[in-house]
Structure formats: structure tokens, C-alpha cells
């Protein structure tokens, strides 16, 4: 993941830039423009709601293809006040570093790295004394990383190249089944705030059974579970009687 010589080449003006596909030459600029417009709108909404707490990354080069699709979740804030993020599925971090070489005149940037940042440091948060990382994008905005833009990324042959990276804001939803079939849905999004909605499922009262099954009359059935097809399963209070949906009750394949 590290290649100091490659970063030195960047500083000496030898960055390699990827070539646009020969087919449909106007497709990539237009796609980038549309993504940038959408990302700008998303950033405006995000700014009003607080810094996002989760991103999914796309746009990395082939050499860093493992980070494509990775979801980064906010872990906290560094000493500068900027949030930092860790990938759910790997030891990858996204953080802000005002000066990655501790040179006192470095360029502030958001960094994608394989080392956890030291939240108690003001500069060179990975402590290696070098601007050595998977990728970076220059920025003075400490509130959140750019939702889209040209990143300098360590790619094929150990060279840094420009890649158009998109960070898509995300949220999670958790639904829990409570007693008597009620459900509680908790949604966490953007700045980590949570909202919980509880929905009750009505119980059933059975009447009209024939004389042979008259003991069923008056029973109250509550939702106790959910079948594989998503339909509710009801159980009578106090006795082992059930109401449920079965798409093929004899297993013969007929509905």
C-alpha cells in the first residue's frame, strides 16, 4: 500500500494521468459533470444536517480495486475536529491531515490509508514522516471529505495517478420484532442521529366456527413470528392454535 518513491515522483511533477476511453470521448466528461452536480446537491443537504457518518467509495483504479464498494463508518474526530472513518470490511481509513510530512507548510488533504490516524496529533497523523498513502485529495474543508473529485491514487506499477472518486453518503435501517407482532424500526443516517418508529400489528378475534370447532370461537390471535414469504404468523392466546399463510400446503407445487 505504501510507495514513497511514487509520491516523490508526484512532487517532482511526474504524475501519470489516466487516458479517457477512445470510444465515446464525450461520455466520461458528461458522466463526471452529472455526478459532480448530484454530489454538490448532496453536500448542500448534508451541510444542513451535519457531517455524514458513513460513505461508500467507488472510482478507485484497478490496483486498488479492493476499496471499490467499501463502506466507511465514522469512528470519531481527530484533534483538528475533522471526522475520520474506518472501512467495515478491512483495515482502511479515511481521514483529514493538515500536513502529512509535519513540514509546517504542507498541503491539507483528505487521505485514504492503511494505517489508523492518531487522533491526538495535529500533523502527520499516521506517524510515518512521509506523505505516503493509498490516495489523497487536497482540501481545506475539515467537516467532511469531498463527495466527488479527482483523487491522486497509488495505482499500477507503483505510480500515482488521477482517479475520479465518488463517496456516496449512506444510512442503515434496523427492524426488530417486538412482543405481539409489533415492529420497531431504527434508522441511522448522515450525522449519526437515530429515529425509531414503532408499528403495532392488530390482533385477530375469531368467531363463526362450526359446532365441532366451537372452542375456537372467541380466541384472540397475536402475531408471534413472520414466515419466509414475509407473511405474519398468529398464535392464539393460551392454546396451541395458529393462523398462517401457506403458498403450497401439500408440497405438490400447486397454490
Amino acid at each position: 500500500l505504501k510507495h514513497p518513491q511514487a509520491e516523490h515522483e508526484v512532487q517532482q511533477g511526474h504524475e501519470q494521468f489516466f487516458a479517457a476511453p477512445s470510444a465515446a470521448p464525450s461520455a466520461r466528461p458528461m458522466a463526471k459533470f452529472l455526478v459532480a452536480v448530484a454530489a454538490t446537491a448532496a453536500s448542500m443537504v448534508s451541510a444542513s444536517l451535519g457531517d455524514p457518518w458513513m460513505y461508500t467509495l467507488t472510482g478507485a483504479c484497478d490496483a486498488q480495486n479492493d476499496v471499490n464498494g467499501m463502506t466507511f463508518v465514522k469512528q470519531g474526530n481527530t484533534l483538528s475536529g475533522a471526522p475520520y472513518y474506518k472501512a467495515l470490511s478491512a483495515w482502511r481509513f479515511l481521514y483529514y491531515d493538515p500536513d502529512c510530512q509535519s513540514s509546517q507548510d504542507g498541503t491539507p488533504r483528505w487521505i485514504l490509508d492503511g494505517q489508523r490516524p492518531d487522533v491526538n496529533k495535529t500533523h502527520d497523523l499516521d506517524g510515518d514522516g512521509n506523505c505516503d498513502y493509498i490516495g489523497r485529495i487536497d482540501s481545506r474543508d475539515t467537516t467532511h471529505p469531498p463527495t466527488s473529485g479527482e483523487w491522486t491514487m497509488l495505482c499500477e506499477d507503483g505510480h500515482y495517478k488521477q482517479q475520479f472518486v465518488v463517496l456516496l453518503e449512506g444510512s442503515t435501517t434496523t427492524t426488530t420484532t417486538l412482543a405481539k407482532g409489533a415492529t420497531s424500526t431504527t434508522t441511522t443516517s448522515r450525522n449519526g442521529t437515530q429515529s425509531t418508529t414503532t408499528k403495532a400489528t392488530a390482533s385477530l378475534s375469531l368467531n363463526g366456527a362450526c359446532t365441532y370447532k366451537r372452542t375456537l370461537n372467541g380466541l384472540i390471535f397475536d402475531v408471534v413470528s413472520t414466515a419466509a414469504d414475509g407473511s405474519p404468523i398468529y398464535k392464539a392466546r393460551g392454546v396451541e392454535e395458529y393462523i398462517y399463510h401457506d403458498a403450497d400446503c401439500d408440497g405438490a407445487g400447486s397454490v
Side-chain angles (χ1 to χ4, degrees):
L1 297 178
K2 301 287 186 177
H3 202 293
Q5 181 60 36
E7 174 63 8
H8 176 73
E9 292 178 5
V10 172
Q11 296 171 351
Q12 295 300 316
H14 297 304
E15 288 186 0
Q16 296 187 14
F17 295 81
F18 66 89
S22 57
S26 62
R28 183 177 178 83
M30 178 58 70
K32 289 169 60 177
F33 171 75
L34 293 175
V35 171
V37 170
T40 300
S43 296
M44 293 173 65
V45 174
S46 173
S48 66
L49 298 176
D51 59 295
W53 79 289
M54 184 169 70
Y55 290 103
T56 298
L57 186 151
T58 60
C61 58
D62 290 342
Q64 303 294 348
N65 186 56
D66 62 319
V67 301
N68 282 320
M70 273 190 186
T71 296
F72 292 80
V73 177
K74 183 179 177 181
Q75 304 294 298
N77 296 79
T78 61
L79 198 60
S80 69
Y84 76 100
Y85 306 81
K86 180 188 178 299
L88 287 175
S89 58
W91 196 254
R92 300 287 187 274
F93 296 88
L94 184 62
Y95 62 90
Y96 183 83
D97 198 329
D99 182 2
C100 55
Q101 285 186 315
S102 293
S103 61
Q104 306 305 315
D105 60 355
T107 301
R109 57 192 48 166
W110 283 91
I111 290 174
L112 176 62
D113 202 352
Q115 296 189 45
R116 179 187 290 274
D118 187 337
V119 299
N120 297 311
K121 296 186 66 175
T122 57
H123 303 84
D124 186 22
L125 271 61
D126 63 0
D128 64 358
N130 292 295
C131 293
D132 194 7
Y133 35 66
I134 298 171
R136 56 89 171 166
I137 185 169
D138 296 344
S139 173
R140 294 187 178 277
D141 186 354
T142 62
T143 60
H144 57 80
T147 51
S148 66
E150 297 284 351
W151 281 64
T152 301
M153 185 165 285
L154 183 61
C155 294
E156 293 74 17
D157 301 322
H159 294 291
Y160 281 89
K161 299 179 181 179
Q162 297 299 109
Q163 291 291 128
F164 190 77
V165 173
V166 174
L167 293 171
L168 181 65
E169 296 176 20
S171 63
T172 60
T173 299
T174 303
T175 300
T176 305
T177 300
L178 306 177
K180 296 184 179 180
T183 58
S184 174
T185 301
T186 300
T187 300
T188 307
S189 60
R190 297 190 183 279
N191 61 354
T193 58
Q194 294 185 332
S195 61
T196 301
T197 302
T198 300
K199 180 180 180 182
T201 302
S203 298
L204 303 179
S205 176
L206 191 151
N207 284 287
C210 63
T211 302
Y212 181 68
K213 289 292 185 181
R214 61 182 179 277
T215 56
L216 296 177
N217 288 321
L219 290 182
I220 304 297
F221 291 78
D222 301 312
V223 175
V224 294
S225 185
T226 302
D229 63 0
S231 61
I233 298 175
Y234 295 83
K235 179 187 179 297
R237 298 178 187 177
V239 294
E240 293 294 317
E241 300 289 353
Y242 296 86
I243 298 175
Y244 57 90
H245 174 264
D246 195 329
D248 183 11
C249 59
D250 62 0
S254 58
V255 178

